[in-house]
């Protein structure tokens, strides 16, 4: 029936963060009046902000939170063998640090290190590649029905991450070979304790996203069910997002998956039912969060409440249009559903809320 191709290209020359080729391509193919296929591919970028580049440097005493070579941390990290080998090599080269197996860094718990916080003029642009493809169904046998399904894949690299002293230390000792630029961001004294470190923005972040969005919209005159009488119009809209992978990293190697948890539920669903007749409009909405674990690693042994119950909120609203004026009112979370215990964020912490409003045209 129809075939559409679209494309765009932009060359970006950032005087500090460098050059980027930004582009996009799209395809829309209406195979039949009822079936449309679509796909897009793009390369995107984000330049560092002025604060991230040039925030003034300030230095103050603080703690580093974590020293990977500390006896309590030496067997941790994404690859404990690499961490151990790097710490052993440094302690062997600096005998004044003492034995590694007994090392305790006081800067972990006390404000004994000079922490310099500020901008990083060496930042580069962060870039991402995005794929989307999907289908749109509008069956002629059911007028007013539209079904949309889209697949989304995003890969981001060189992300602009806020690096703390802990991030610099872990990246240094958990990498093989060790990156010289990262390892130069902190200093040890003759006993091995961290006495100076940096906190700034750094190009290291990674994001991998995989998921789908689903949209079902059905609009029809209610009178169709009652002898074609004028009984107004009903719009039903079901929206659902499925996340199969959300992997993020601040440092580029300590990858963390949050899909399928309360941070990023695997399914999030919303249903809206809107009835319209003349100047009247009323809407009923349902927002549903499924039962999810708090993290991918929690068990009953490590957390007394490793899984949160599902959470469903209901809202209602109505509007009357007088022509030049329209009055609306509604209740958000009218069942006063609390967040799923013991979380304060998996749900609505505010509870039941009322609102009224007036819109005027002049």
């Amino acid at each position: 029936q129809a075939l559409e191709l679209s494309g765009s290209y932009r060359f970006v020359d950032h005087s500090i963060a460098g050059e980027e080729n930004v582009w996009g391509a799209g395809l829309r193919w209406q195979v039949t009046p009822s079936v449309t296929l679509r796909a897009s591919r793009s390369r995107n970028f984000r330049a560092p902000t002025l604060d991230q580049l040039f925030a003034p440097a300030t230095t103050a005493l603080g703690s580093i939170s974590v020293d990977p070579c500390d006896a309590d941390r030496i067997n941790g990290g994404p690859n404990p063998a690499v961490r151990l080998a790097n710490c052993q090599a440094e302690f062997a080269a600096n005998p004044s640090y003492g034995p590694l197996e007994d090392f305790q860094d006081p800067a972990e718990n006390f404000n004994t290190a000079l922490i310099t916080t500020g901008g990083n003029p060496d930042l580069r642009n962060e870039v991402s590649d995005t794929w989307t493809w999907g289908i749109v169904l509008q069956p002629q046998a059911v007028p007013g029905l539209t079904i949309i399904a889209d697949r989304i894949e995003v890969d981001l690299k060189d992300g602009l991450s806020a690096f703390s002293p802990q991030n610099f230390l872990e990246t240094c000792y958990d990498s093989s070979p060790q990156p010289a630029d990262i390892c130069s961001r902190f200093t040890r004294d003759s006993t091995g304790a961290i006495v100076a470190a940096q906190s700034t923005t750094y190009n290291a972040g990674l994001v991998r996203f995989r998921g789908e969005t689903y949209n079902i919209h059905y609009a029809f005159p209610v009178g169709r069910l009652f002898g074609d009488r004028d009984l107004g119009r009903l719009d039903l809209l079901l929206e659902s997002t499925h996340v199969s992978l959300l992997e993020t990293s601040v440092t580029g190697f300590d990858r963390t998956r949050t899909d399928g948890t309360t941070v990023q539920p695997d399914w999030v669903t919303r249903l809206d039912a809107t009835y319209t007749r003349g100047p009247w409009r009323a809407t009923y909405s349902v927002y549903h969060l499924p039962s999810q674990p708090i993290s991918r690693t929690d068990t009953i042994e490590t957390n007394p409440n490793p899984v949160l119950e599902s959470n469903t909120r209901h809202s209602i609203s109505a509007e009357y249009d007088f022509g030049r004026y329209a009055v609306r009112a509604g209740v958000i979370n009218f069942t006063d559903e609390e967040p799923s215990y013991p979380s304060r964020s998996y749900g609505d912490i505010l509870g039941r809320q009322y609102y009224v409003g007036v819109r005027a045209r002049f």
Side-chain angles (χ1 to χ4, degrees), residues 58-60 62-64 107 112-118 163-166 168-169 184-188 194-200:
T58 59
T59 302
S63 69
I64 60 169
T112 58
L114 289 172
I115 309 297
T116 300
T117 303
F163 256 53
S164 66
Q166 174 182 337
F168 283 116
L169 284 158
S184 67
R185 305 286 176 143
F186 56 88
T187 305
R188 295 183 184 272
I194 300 295
V195 292
Q198 190 174 7
S199 179
T200 188

Side-chain angles (χ1 to χ4, degrees), residues 256-272:
T256 302
R257 286 189 61 177
T258 53
D259 55 280
T261 70
T262 55
V263 176
Q264 179 56 72
D266 51 6
W267 287 96
V268 176
T269 305
R270 179 188 177 97
L271 171 66
D272 290 328

Side-chain angles (χ1 to χ4, degrees), residues 275-353:
Y275 175 72
T276 306
R277 185 179 185 186
W280 282 102
R281 178 186 178 92
T283 301
Y284 168 70
S285 299
V286 181
Y287 185 76
H288 177 73
L289 297 172
S291 176
Q292 296 280 261
I294 295 177
S295 79
R296 297 177 65 89
T297 57
D298 277 352
T299 65
I300 194 65
E301 288 79 17
T302 60
N303 187 335
N305 299 281
V307 178
L308 298 188
E309 296 295 327
S310 62
N311 192 278
T312 303
R313 285 167 282 165
H314 306 261
S315 300
I316 54 175
S317 64
E319 179 178 303
Y320 189 88
D321 193 340
F322 293 93
R324 293 183 59 184
Y325 300 93
V327 179
R328 65 183 184 278
V331 183
I332 300 172
N333 191 6
F334 71 82
T335 58
D336 201 21
E337 178 74 12
E338 297 180 353
S340 299
Y341 178 83
S343 170
R344 291 175 294 175
S345 59
Y346 202 63
D348 182 6
I349 191 65
L350 297 179
R352 186 183 296 115
Q353 303 156 65

Side-chain angles (χ1 to χ4, degrees), residues 208-240:
R208 293 179 64 223
F209 176 88
R210 303 289 185 270
E212 306 89 42
T213 61
Y214 302 93
N215 183 301
I216 302 176
H217 181 217
Y218 186 35
F220 63 95
V222 178
R224 182 189 298 170
L225 307 175
F226 302 95
D228 290 328
R229 298 165 55 193
D230 181 14
L231 298 177
R233 172 189 173 93
L234 183 63
D235 284 79
L236 301 175
L237 176 62
L238 177 65
E239 297 177 322
S240 190

